[in-house]
Amino acid sequence: MITRIVAELGPWAWWVLGIVLLILEVLMPGVFLVWIGVAAIVTGALTMLFWGAAWWASQVQWIVFAMLSIAAVLVGRRVVLSSARKTDEPFLNQRARSLVGRTATLDQPITEGRGRIRLDDTVWSVQGPDLPVGTRVRVVASSGRDLTVEPV
């Protein structure tokens, strides 16, 4: 049945496949099928261009489609990742990392390498050298919920 439909559609079969993949991308968003759909549409354009050529058999079309799909996915991935890196809030949802460089006063002494500071409205566990209460410290690193501090 599918072979008959493809034979009847001729070079338009690639366009139909591309549009179906783009519609599926809208229904199941994931930014993946769009690139394969673009590859199918480009393959359809090439098929329209080379339709009468003897060397443009269905096997060649599938190979071209596979290569274009791989290239489109790789290029699309690079485009999506490069646009995702640019932000005016790089530490959004990474609150502990956003505190690196800030200074605070110890609320509890650091004994045996552990203590507490208050930054804004939160009390944070800190690691660092043993220091008395009231010492000014600077946050130099974060790991999970713990901050690493050093005296200022």
Side-chain angles (χ1 to χ4, degrees):
M1 178 179 158
I2 293 175
T3 307
R4 184 179 55 83
I5 293 172
V6 170
E8 288 177 10
L9 287 175
W12 292 101
W14 288 108
W15 289 81
V16 171
L17 175 64
I19 291 169
V20 166
L21 288 170
L22 293 176
I23 290 170
L24 286 174
E25 179 66 40
V26 171
L27 297 176
M28 301 178 302
V31 192
F32 183 74
L33 292 177
V34 67
W35 306 115
I36 299 173
V38 167
I41 290 172
V42 170
T43 304
L46 291 172
T47 302
M48 296 284 262
L49 186 65
F50 301 125
W51 183 247
W55 58 272
W56 191 253
S58 64
Q59 293 87 354
V60 174
Q61 293 174 33
W62 281 103
I63 290 170
V64 168
F65 171 67
M67 291 188 320
L68 286 173
S69 294
I70 291 169
V73 167
L74 292 175
V75 169
R77 184 173 183 258
R78 180 168 289 178
V79 167
V80 168
L81 290 178
S82 70
S83 67
R85 290 186 194 130
K86 299 173 188 167
T87 178
D88 59 340
E89 302 234 9
F91 296 119
L92 185 64
N93 296 328
Q94 299 176 15
R95 187 168 180 209
R97 287 186 59 197
S98 70
L99 298 174
V100 173
R102 301 239 345 237
T103 58
T105 305
L106 285 175
D107 279 357
Q108 294 179 5
I110 299 179
T111 54
E112 298 179 9
R114 309 279 305 160
R116 293 190 183 276
I117 62 171
R118 177 177 294 277
L119 279 170
D120 300 326
D121 61 347
T122 306
V123 176
W124 293 88
S125 296
V126 295
Q127 303 172 2
D130 289 353
L131 298 169
V133 173
T135 305
R136 295 284 298 165
V137 293
R138 173 175 283 115
V139 178
V140 293
S142 72
S143 63
R145 295 180 305 177
D146 292 335
L147 303 174
T148 303
V149 297
E150 63 184 20
V152 177

